[in-house]
Amino acid sequence: MLSSSDFASASWELVVHVDHPDVEERRDITLRVSGDLHVGGVMLKLVEQINIPQDWSDFALWWEQKHCWLLKTHWTLDKYGVQADAKLLFTPQHKMLRLRLPNVKTVRLRVSFSAVVFRAVSDICKTLNIRRSEELSLLKPSGDYFKKKKKKDKNNKEPIIEDILNLECSPTIAGPPVSPGLYSKTMTPTYDPISGTPASSTMTWFSDSPLTEQNCSVLAFSQPPQSPEALTDMYQPRSLVDKAKLNAGWLDSSRSLMEQGIQEDEQVLLRFKYYTFFDLNPKYDAVRINQLYEQARWAILLEEIDCTEEEMLIFAALQYHISKLSLSAEIQDFTNESEVDEVEAALSNLEVTLEGGKVDNTLEDITDIPKLADNLRLFRPKKLILKTFKQYWFVFKDTSIAYFKNKELEQGEPVEKLNLRGCEVVPDVNVAGRKFGIKLLIPVADGMNEVYLRCDHENQYARWMAACILASKGKTMADSSYQPEVLNILSFLRMKNRNSASQVATSLENIDMNPECFVSPRCAKKHKSKQLAARILEAHQNVAQMPLVEAKLRFIQAWQSLPEFGLTYYLVRFKGSKKDDILGVSYNRLIRIDVATGIPITTWRFTNMKQWNVNWEIRQVAIEFDQNVSIAFTCLSADCKVVHEYIGGYIFLSTRSKDQNETLDEDLFHKLTGGQD
């Protein structure tokens, strides 16, 4: 028998705050516990003492000082290290969060604050009907992001409140769904290919999604263009260092929202983080395609990615076309659309996927490796030498270019052979000036070898450019993506082709257009409004017949073809260096960039990476590549974990394949991105 003194020494008092919606203030409840009591037992005692009959299954204990959840209910207090001085909070795991989507629409919904961010984003994407949640993540905006708005915040607060889409009843709470097992591959929603609207029979991807028809179309349709004043009020990065600041706030995917200091009802940004858009299908991805288009649109308008004036006008023409179609009453009238049988839709999609598009002369000679051979002009930049191009006979085979003084010498020794694997390929094109150039930055031991090629016409440029792009990824022209790449380049060049402005001039007075809405503020300042409108309408003639979803996909493709596409910047200090550099992280490579000039210094491919790790004590990322190349750097604009996760995340995404099902290997993701901390 234990005496009362023995009992007193073995047990102690634990104070727990109770965060309950029915109670106006948090209540402190004192429990007498012992170290061998498990967490589930503590929660049981709490519920008995609170004495409010309700479902308490979503409540859990949060340890404020240690900044962690006590989710392993079978663990004892001793095992967790909880003692009498611990401040515990008994609170719901699911809380309201305001998500700002790429289309600048704010959605308010219930999210798990105890699940790791990777899983929380997956649940959010299910609710919003966005496939491939692994490509997105949550970004906590820096102070600069909203800084400009606050200068005029008298008028800015109201519209934001009105623009919130409230999905408070969204059932993202853990546990069985309303209709378990209902979701399958064949239940993926089918969308109208022209309007991009979900067919009513498959309106929501999951049976328990809170999205109604109205809400779904809000997320699948682009928002009206912002006024030029609103555009100038938004934060625009002016330098690579500013762009690096934008990427500092990515949340850690391996920790929960609560562990990262996110408060209930706080606003965070939901963004596409990884620029590898897998299996983008107009049939199922109306919301995903629209949000991608919106993210691309804002990146262009706010100059987060650079483009030429000619390219800016194409983006403007596509935006104008998309906004016209989105506002059109005919497009939004879906009442007469016939419903599509879900199984039939899934089978037809499978048929298209298996066919893989029609390929010309499929079984010509599969042993024959394609090659290109043609006269091109070449220039190598050297100090104090004018830019003069010299003609050579070029032969492109496998992933290399060899060039000779003339065609007759092709069988002999080339002047030089350029291996393009791992190089940077930059378009150097001005369609109006009939200039079709390719800039190659080829990695060498001491930096980058710069070579310019000049083609004679569009078709020649498209073939050689596509071959260079594939070779930089280690692929040859035998790859199935070569022909589609050529066609993509040609279609983009044709969009740039200027039509005669005679029709435009006559119809300009009748057009209700605010051209400054469709270009960046800096571009708008360079031209008078009427001149800008005429040039946008001129470019619009090339895209005027496109259906809505195709126009959005074309915008995304044009965005993907920009030289800086997919680069995420961080300010770093390399080991042994006395000055700061910019590190660009892409889906397949790392680039060291000079801060002052913005010129790439060195490129390292992920395919050549042997291992990477972090020294958590000095917060230094170290990477080893083939041929005894190793680099190490500390990150100055963000925590090193953010950069480490970016590298691991891209490597994880490269493991996806068409034959796998929709489920992802979450353990592999955390293994590749988590580090050893």
Side-chain angles (χ1 to χ4, degrees), residues 10-76:
S11 66
W12 34 274
E13 287 189 341
L14 179 66
V15 178
V16 182
H17 293 293
V18 177
D19 176 16
H20 192 278
D22 293 344
V23 180
E24 285 183 17
E25 298 176 359
R26 285 183 180 176
R27 291 198 302 176
D28 285 0
I29 289 184
T30 305
L31 300 174
R32 180 155 285 279
V33 297
S34 57
D36 59 359
L37 180 65
H38 53 73
V39 170
V42 176
M43 290 162 67
L44 191 63
K45 281 187 173 221
L46 268 171
V47 170
E48 285 171 355
Q49 211 155 320
I50 295 166
N51 199 23
I52 297 176
Q54 69 159 68
D55 180 3
W56 292 93
S57 60
D58 189 43
F59 277 68
L61 289 169
W62 166 257
W63 190 355
E64 288 185 15
Q65 296 109 310
K66 296 275 185 179
H67 231 60
C68 71
W69 288 93
L70 308 184
L71 296 176
K72 293 181 172 130
T73 51
H74 60 285
W75 277 27
T76 63

Side-chain angles (χ1 to χ4, degrees), residues 165-231:
L165 174 62
N166 206 329
L167 303 178
E168 193 164 351
C169 302
S170 63
T172 52
I173 293 174
V178 177
S179 308
L182 186 61
Y183 173 68
S184 69
K185 281 280 194 180
T186 57
M187 291 300 290
T188 316
T190 306
Y191 293 93
D192 182 275
I194 296 170
S195 69
T197 319
S200 54
S201 60
T202 55
M203 177 50 66
T204 49
W205 198 16
F206 287 76
S207 58
D208 51 357
S209 173
L211 283 171
T212 61
E213 233 171 287
Q214 176 199 348
N215 292 338
C216 211
S217 62
V218 163
L219 301 185
F221 277 99
S222 56
Q223 299 296 295
Q226 290 275 2
S227 68
E229 296 75 33
L231 267 179

Side-chain angles (χ1 to χ4, degrees), residues 335-597:
T335 49
N336 299 326
E337 290 293 330
S338 59
E339 292 190 358
V340 183
D341 178 73
E342 294 142 15
V343 178
E344 190 184 316
L347 286 171
S348 64
N349 178 52
L350 179 64
E351 190 182 327
V352 171
T353 309
L354 291 174
E355 280 175 11
K358 291 179 182 174
V359 182
D360 296 330
N361 39 6
T362 320
L363 297 172
E364 219 173 62
D365 180 8
I366 56 172
T367 59
D368 183 39
I369 298 169
K371 75 171 190 177
L372 288 173
D374 217 336
N375 282 310
L376 301 178
R377 283 164 293 154
L378 174 132
F379 162 70
R380 284 182 173 284
K382 291 176 185 171
K383 286 181 181 176
L384 306 172
I385 291 179
L386 292 171
K387 197 171 185 178
T388 52
F389 284 86
K390 194 174 177 184
Q391 185 164 299
Y392 292 96
W393 178 256
F394 282 80
V395 176
F396 199 133
K397 194 155 187 180
D398 292 332
T399 59
S400 299
I401 293 179
Y403 63 93
F404 308 82
K405 283 191 175 179
N406 53 51
K407 186 177 180 179
E408 287 69 34
L409 298 172
E410 185 183 327
Q411 301 308 319
E413 195 67 28
V415 177
E416 190 181 11
K417 190 172 182 180
L418 308 169
N419 184 6
L420 302 193
R421 190 185 286 265
C423 77
E424 296 294 305
V425 184
V426 183
D428 182 24
V429 175
N430 182 330
V431 177
R434 308 302 296 162
K435 172 182 150 188
F436 301 102
I438 301 169
K439 180 179 172 184
L440 300 172
L441 296 165
I442 301 163
V444 288
D446 57 345
M448 304 293 273
N449 196 350
E450 203 170 324
V451 178
Y452 287 81
L453 303 181
R454 185 66 64 84
C455 301
D456 294 328
H457 50 79
E458 293 177 14
N459 289 336
Q460 188 186 50
Y461 168 78
R463 292 196 307 273
W464 284 82
M465 184 66 178
C468 289
I469 290 168
L470 261 67
S472 73
K473 299 174 185 175
K475 297 176 182 178
T476 70
M477 286 175 282
D479 193 87
S480 61
S481 61
Y482 175 68
Q483 283 302 332
E485 188 71 48
V486 173
L487 294 172
N488 270 343
I489 293 166
L490 279 172
S491 67
F492 191 41
L493 291 175
R494 279 170 197 143
M495 281 199 294
K496 287 184 177 184
N497 230 333
R498 303 275 288 278
N499 289 326
S500 64
S502 54
Q503 296 174 339
V504 175
T506 54
S507 60
L508 192 56
E509 285 75 24
N510 307 323
I511 294 285
D512 180 25
M513 184 212 276
N514 191 347
E516 292 83 4
C517 299
F518 302 112
V519 295
S520 68
R522 190 163 52 169
C523 180
K525 283 176 190 170
K526 288 183 185 175
H527 305 280
K528 290 178 181 173
S529 189
K530 276 194 174 179
Q531 181 193 14
L532 195 59
R535 292 185 70 186
I536 291 171
L537 287 171
E538 200 177 309
H540 177 249
Q541 287 180 285
N542 290 321
V543 299
Q545 303 308 313
M546 276 186 196
L548 181 59
V549 176
E550 190 188 326
K552 287 180 185 176
L553 285 170
R554 192 54 61 88
F555 192 101
I556 293 165
Q557 283 170 357
W559 175 47
Q560 288 174 301
S561 73
L562 294 176
E564 287 183 15
F565 168 77
L567 280 174
T568 307
Y569 300 104
Y570 290 98
L571 188 66
V572 299
R573 173 73 64 91
F574 279 88
K575 189 178 180 181
S577 175
K578 291 181 179 177
K579 67 183 187 70
D580 300 342
D581 285 299
I582 291 288
L583 181 76
V585 184
S586 179
Y587 74 96
N588 61 354
R589 66 200 189 281
L590 299 174
I591 307 170
R592 183 176 182 173
I593 302 166
D594 187 280
V595 173
T597 62

